[in-house]
């Protein structure tokens, strides 16, 4: 809990800084900010708070169990010369999870999860037709409160993203593969693949519909327990709160493929994002 309180305080400081910066300038262009919010490798500074409410099912549990994941994700691109940025995307999760006990009952575990850090090099003008492009690495740190919530492993692996944002459509993906570097002696090694795909139609400059689920594969699991493949549909809207640009989005996701033992069946995702133009750019 102490770690989570520190995280919440840092998050509040970031929000306050963003608010002060934005309110000290002229009114922001909502259409432009909406476009930037769509691009996960944009060169703006932003803060995203995402909540996933998940229903779990499987042979190892009885009925439908629940899990909740709240992710705090500041995104801070740093210019490298005039043609490149280093996009830093730490992901700080707070996890609430129902876990089975030996007597058949369920106990709720909660606490800080394993922190991820995505670092991606991106060209400022994209890659021709694809104005979303980047490559780099994802680091995972064993910061979880306990072994039920986290993997107790250090890990790293390559990250790659490509896509396009224009006046009508946003499409693309970000792929990550992670392998263990080491950790607790009795913990299970990480050998995990993640791919978040994006497909959105812009109804207006500030409103869009579509999906951005995350496909996962745990390569060391047995057959029938490797893949989690969701499909979804939702909406996203950008507006102002005072002079502060805000993006709110909601998405319902159904898992067409899920691990047989324990895996997600439904996910209900709410996301709040705010941001400002990069203060490090000239």
């Amino acid at each position: 809990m102490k770690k989570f309180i520190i995280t919440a305080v840092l998050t509040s400081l970031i929000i306050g800084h963003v608010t002060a910066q934005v309110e000290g300038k002229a009114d922001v262009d909502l259409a432009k900010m909406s476009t930037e919010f769509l691009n996960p490798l944009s060169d703006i500074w932003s803060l995203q708070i995402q909540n996933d409410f998940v229903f779990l099912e499987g042979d190892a549990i009885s009925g439908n169990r629940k899990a909740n994941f709240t992710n705090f994700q500041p995104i801070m691109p740093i210019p490298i010369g005039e043609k490149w940025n280093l996009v830093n995307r730490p992901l700080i999760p707070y996890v609430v999870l129902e876990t089975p006990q030996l007597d058949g009952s369920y106990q709720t575990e909660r606490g800080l999860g394993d922190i991820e850090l995505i670092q991606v090099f991106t060209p400022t003008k994209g890659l021709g037709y694809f104005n979303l492009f980047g490559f780099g690495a994802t680091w995972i740190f064993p910061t979880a409160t306990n072994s039920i919530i986290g993997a107790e492993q250090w890990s790293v692996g390559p990250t790659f993203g490509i896509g396009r944002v224009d006046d009508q459509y946003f499409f693309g993906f970000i792929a990550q593969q992670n392998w263990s570097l080491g950790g607790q002696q009795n913990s299970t090694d990480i050998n995990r693949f993640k791919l978040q795909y994006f497909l959105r139609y812009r109804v207006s400059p500030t409103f869009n519909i579509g999906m951005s689920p995350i496909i996962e594969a745990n390569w060391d699991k047995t057959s029938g327990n490797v893949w989690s493949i969701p499909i979804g549909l939702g909406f996203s809207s950008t507006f102002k709160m005072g002079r502060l640009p805000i993006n709110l989005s909601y998405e319902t996701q159904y898992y067409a493929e899920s691990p047989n033992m324990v895996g997600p069946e439904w996910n209900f995702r709410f996301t709040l994002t705010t941001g400002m133009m990069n203060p490090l750019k000239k």
Side-chain angles (χ1 to χ4, degrees):
M1 180 60 72
K2 182 179 179 181
K3 293 180 180 178
F4 182 69
I5 291 173
I6 293 173
T7 298
V9 171
L10 291 175
T11 300
S12 299
L13 291 173
I14 293 171
I15 293 175
H17 179 68
V18 169
T19 305
Q21 290 290 324
V22 172
E23 290 185 346
K25 298 183 179 181
D27 285 349
V28 296
D29 183 337
L30 269 188
K32 178 176 175 58
M33 292 302 293
S34 181
T35 300
E36 299 292 349
F37 286 147
L38 282 176
N39 185 348
L41 301 179
S42 167
D43 65 358
I44 70 168
W45 280 26
S46 62
L47 173 66
Q48 185 178 94
I49 302 174
Q50 177 177 290
N51 190 84
D52 289 282
F53 186 72
V54 182
F55 284 95
L56 305 169
E57 65 170 3
D59 298 338
I61 57 176
S62 61
N64 286 104
R65 313 314 302 186
K66 299 182 290 295
N68 196 86
F69 305 89
T70 303
N71 295 326
F72 296 85
Q73 189 167 12
I75 304 174
M76 297 167 290
I78 299 174
I80 301 176
E82 296 182 357
K83 296 184 177 181
W84 289 86
N85 290 319
L86 174 61
V87 178
N88 300 281
R89 296 181 61 185
L91 188 153
I92 305 164
Y94 186 77
V95 180
V96 180
L97 181 66
E98 288 185 325
T99 58
Q101 306 298 301
L102 293 176
D103 62 1
S105 64
Y106 283 81
Q107 177 176 310
T108 300
E109 297 284 348
R110 66 185 74 232
L112 179 69
D114 289 338
I115 294 175
E116 295 187 17
L117 174 61
I118 301 173
Q119 293 186 301
V120 178
F121 293 97
T122 64
T124 55
K125 294 184 179 180
L127 189 68
Y129 177 77
F130 296 102
N131 51 15
L132 182 160
F133 174 76
F135 61 91
T138 297
W139 305 81
I140 300 179
F141 309 102
T143 56
T145 307
N146 58 57
S147 60
I148 296 174
I149 293 174
E152 298 187 310
Q153 288 279 322
W154 300 82
S155 77
V156 68
T159 299
F160 174 79
I162 192 168
R164 177 173 173 80
V165 185
D166 61 28
D167 292 339
Q168 275 198 306
Y169 299 99
F170 169 41
F171 57 87
F173 68 85
I174 294 178
Q176 304 163 249
Q177 169 66 40
N178 275 82
W179 296 282
S180 290
L181 292 174
Q184 293 292 332
Q185 186 174 2
N186 297 324
S187 60
T188 303
D189 286 347
I190 294 174
N191 184 10
R192 187 189 70 187
F193 172 76
K194 290 173 65 175
L195 185 145
Q196 184 171 21
Y197 65 94
F198 311 91
L199 181 59
R200 293 189 175 276
Y201 172 72
R202 304 185 72 174
V203 179
S204 74
T206 58
F207 184 84
N208 66 80
I209 57 174
M211 66 185 77
S212 55
I214 299 175
I215 296 172
E216 293 192 57
N218 190 332
W219 301 119
D220 291 336
K221 294 292 186 180
T222 58
S223 177
N225 293 285
V226 174
W227 289 97
S228 298
I229 304 177
I231 55 176
L233 184 63
F235 63 88
S236 171
S237 179
T238 302
F239 56 92
K240 290 179 183 177
M241 185 176 293
R243 292 185 176 181
L244 185 68
I246 298 288
N247 179 271
L248 286 180
S249 68
Y250 169 77
E251 187 173 331
T252 299
Q253 299 173 356
Y254 171 73
Y255 282 77
E257 179 72 21
S258 185
N260 294 332
M261 292 299 292
V262 180
E265 182 182 18
W266 289 93
N267 180 25
F268 303 92
R269 173 177 293 169
F270 297 87
T271 307
L272 181 149
T273 307
T274 187
M276 64 178 180
M277 304 311 292
N278 194 327
L280 300 180
K281 292 186 68 176
K282 295 179 181 180

